[in-house]
C-alpha cells in the first residue's frame, strides 16, 4: 500500500471571526486516523500522511468532520507535496515584475475553471490578472489600488467550486515545511 503526504489547504480558517487554534485543527485531522499531522501558520495549512487511495472520498471525509466539529463548512483542497512542488517548479509568475503594489497568488481550486473563465484574463477594473490555470490552481497577479487590496471574488458566481488562495512566497514556505519530517 502506498503512503501519500498531503498538504490540505483549508478555506475559512481564522478569517471572519472563525478562530481555530492549530492544536485543535491538528487534533481534528488526527481523529480521522491521519498520520504525522502537522500545521503551518494560522491560515489553515495541514500536512499529513495516509494510505487512503481515493482523494475525493478523503476530501469529503475531512470536510464533513471539520463542519461537524467546527459548526461551519470548511472547503479543503488536497494536494500532494509533489503536486505543489511541480506548480512552483513551473514558475507560473515568470516574467512578472514584482513591485510594492503587486501580489502573486496561487488560487487552489476544488475543480477546474469553466471555459468561460479561461485564462489569461484581466478584471475590468484592472485589479487582477489571471495569468493561467490548470485543473488544480489558478495563477493570479493582484494589483493593489492606493495600497489596498480591492479584489474580493476573482471568479464570481460562474465558478461553482471552492477556492482558497496563498501568496506565492507563503506557498514556497508551506512546501518547505511539508517536506520536513
Amino acid at each position: 500500500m502506498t503512503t501519500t503526504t498531503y498538504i490540505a489547504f483549508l478555506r475559512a480558517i481564522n478569517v471572519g471571526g472563525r478562530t481555530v487554534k492549530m492544536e485543535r485543527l491538528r487534533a481534528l485531522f488526527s481523529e480521522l486516523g491521519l498520520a504525522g499531522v502537522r500545521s503551518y501558520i494560522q491560515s489553515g495549512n495541514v500536512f499529513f500522511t495516509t494510505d487512503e487511495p481515493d482523494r475525493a472520498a478523503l476530501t469529503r471525509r475531512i470536510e464533513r468532520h471539520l463542519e461537524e466539529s467546527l459548526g461551519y463548512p470548511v472547503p479543503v483542497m488536497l494536494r500532494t507535496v509533489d503536486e505543489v512542488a511541480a506548480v512552483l517548479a513551473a514558475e507560473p509568475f515568470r516574467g512578472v515584475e514584482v513591485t510594492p503594489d503587486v501580489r502573486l497568488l496561487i488560487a487552489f481550486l476544488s475543480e477546474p475553471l469553466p471555459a468561460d473563465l479561461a485564462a489569461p484574463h484581466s478584471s475590468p477594473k484592472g485589479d487582477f490578472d489571471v495569468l493561467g490555470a490548470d485543473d488544480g490552481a489558478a495563477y493570479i497577479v493582484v494589483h493593489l489600488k492606493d495600497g489596498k487590496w480591492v479584489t474580493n471574488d476573482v471568479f464570481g458566481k460562474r465558478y461553482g467550486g471552492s477556492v482558497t488562495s496563498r501568496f506565492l512566497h507563503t506557498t514556497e514556505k508551506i512546501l518547505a515545511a511539508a517536506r520536513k519530517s
Side-chain angles (χ1 to χ4, degrees):
M1 201 169 281
T2 302
T3 299
T4 303
T5 300
Y6 281 107
I7 301 171
F9 294 97
L10 310 180
R11 181 174 171 82
I13 292 293
N14 293 331
V15 295
R18 295 177 170 173
T19 304
V20 182
K21 293 192 180 300
M22 291 302 100
E23 180 180 12
R24 171 105 198 278
L25 193 59
R26 290 189 299 272
L28 292 172
F29 274 74
S30 295
E31 288 169 8
L32 292 169
L34 304 171
V37 177
R38 296 176 295 128
S39 59
Y40 179 77
I41 64 175
Q42 302 296 311
S43 58
N45 310 291
V46 180
F47 323 129
F48 62 90
T49 59
T50 182
D51 55 13
E52 167 63 60
D54 186 338
R55 184 189 318 218
L58 178 61
T59 300
R60 287 189 302 272
R61 193 162 61 101
I62 294 168
E63 287 177 336
R64 186 173 46 251
H65 185 62
L66 292 175
E67 183 170 5
E68 289 170 358
S69 301
L70 300 174
Y72 55 87
V74 178
V76 175
M77 274 47 74
L78 288 182
R79 301 294 182 271
T80 67
V81 168
D82 289 344
E83 288 167 347
V84 175
V87 163
L88 295 173
E91 298 182 47
F93 300 101
R94 186 179 321 123
V96 174
E97 183 181 352
V98 177
T99 70
D101 290 329
V102 168
R103 300 293 182 270
L104 307 178
L105 285 179
I106 299 176
F108 293 96
L109 309 171
S110 64
E111 57 193 63
L113 292 174
D116 66 329
L117 289 175
H121 74 271
S122 298
S123 69
K125 295 178 184 176
D127 53 345
F128 68 85
D129 301 302
V130 179
L131 299 183
D134 53 41
D135 287 350
Y139 311 103
I140 303 165
V141 177
V142 175
H143 304 281
L144 302 182
K145 300 293 182 188
D146 298 320
K148 295 186 176 141
W149 183 313
V150 294
T151 301
N152 287 327
D153 190 0
V154 172
F155 304 117
K157 294 183 176 160
R158 295 180 295 168
Y159 180 64
S162 296
V163 180
T164 190
S165 299
R166 301 295 184 271
F167 290 117
L168 173 63
H169 65 274
T170 303
T171 305
E172 292 166 343
K173 291 176 184 177
I174 290 168
L175 177 61
R179 285 179 162 162
K180 291 180 182 174
S181 49

